[in-house]
Amino acid sequence: METRVVKADLEDWRTAAGEAAGVLRDGGVVALPTETVYGLAADVFNAEAVAKVFEVKERPDFDPLIVHLAKAGDLTRVAAVPEDVAEVVKKLTGAFWPGPLTLVLPKNPEVPDLVTSGLPTVAVRVSKHEVMRGVAKELGNPIAAPSANLFGRISPTSASAVMSELGGRIPLVVDGGACANGLESTIVAVEPAPPRAAGAKGSAEPKPIIRILRPGPVTREELRKFGKVIKAGRVTDKPEAPGGLESHYAPRTPLLLFEKPEDFVPEEGKRYGLLSYRGDEKDGYLGRHDWARVEVMSPGSGKIAEAAVRFFFLLRQLDESGLDAIVAEPVSDRALGAAVMDRLRRAAARPHR
Ligand code: TXA
Ligand code: MG
């Protein structure tokens, strides 16, 4: 199959959006830009089209998709908002939509089970990218869209990255430029505040619980304003958020993550690349080895937002450089750094292929 790439210009993205909506209406799949990473889209109410998403990505059917709405007001078309969390849901969507926050809520029966992998819940967000919202509006239905990469691989943050993942497998890619955030959305589940313990002292009201299923651009620190934030543990051997599979987001080249530069002991004759945070000698990695290639996420003083935006892009470049292994410098585990570290740990945990 020939894959066409159409540009969505700032002034005229509607033509491309209209074309994409047409493909979706006919039951096809298309790659669309979002502010996080590119998504592989299908009409959420068309189970056959959704099946194509799994097929094209070679994604196992136990890994559910994220549903994208044209606007927050469409939420009840795919999900129910239980009364006991209505207030916190309203606050979160008011604060972060459109934007990179995905909410897990009870699903509506009209959403095909394939979308949610049979789960009683559905993951929903409203993208900040006008093309994703515009296509959903033009189609008249919400859009199911996981990241537009082959299963387990590096998420695409540009149209050319989508082409190298899915070129020849899909009819259309809408090129909306580089993704502004560069990391997948934060996924949360919400629970009502626990009842106040009998005899509890003080006047603080118990807060609703916000469980982070996947760290992302909306940080734990930002979410704290809205409830008690908990990082999800793995409750069963099936991860709560299957993006939570231990190995994920992985390059084909083995990725090595060392807490300290001294822990890296190069093997004779191997070509290593370095994914550096800020390219500073002081961090100890740069001078540790005669690297075959070095990519710096945030040159200069190191800004975590810049590092996050460039992360998948640089990882992909290193992966395509014929190295024996990629060594990644760890970043701070706070704020956006937690989302980058989450991706690095998973990439490093991967059995390499
Ligand atoms: O930023 C993003 O979220 C991007 C763009 C395209 O929107 N999408 C994305 O989709 O990252 P994907 O398929 O790569 O990740 C979707 C993840 C699943 O792996 C799973 O972890 C989680 O969303 N998910 C979906 N439905 C869920 C549910 N009902 N309960 C828990 N987690 C769910
Ligand atoms: Mg993904």
Side-chain angles (χ1 to χ4, degrees), residues 37 57 59 63 146-153 155 184 214 243 248-249:
V37 302
K57 279 186 56 107
R59 183 179 179 107
D63 196 1
S147 53
N149 51 276
L150 293 174
F151 180 68
R153 289 265 303 145
S155 297
E184 303 89 343
R214 176 175 74 182
H248 218 95
Y249 312 112

Side-chain angles (χ1 to χ4, degrees), residues 32 34 36-40 57 59 63-66 68 100 102 104-105 115-116 119-123 125 132 145-149 155 183-187 213-214 240-244 248-249:
L32 298 176
T34 83
T36 58
V37 302
Y38 275 70
L40 181 62
K57 279 186 56 107
R59 183 179 179 107
D63 196 1
L65 311 184
I66 290 178
H68 300 70
T102 297
V104 172
L105 290 165
V115 172
T116 63
L119 293 172
T121 53
V122 60
R125 78 184 195 98
M132 179 53 98
S147 53
N149 51 276
S155 297
L183 290 180
E184 303 89 343
S185 61
T186 305
I187 305 179
L213 306 181
R214 176 175 74 182
E240 273 190 74
H248 218 95
Y249 312 112

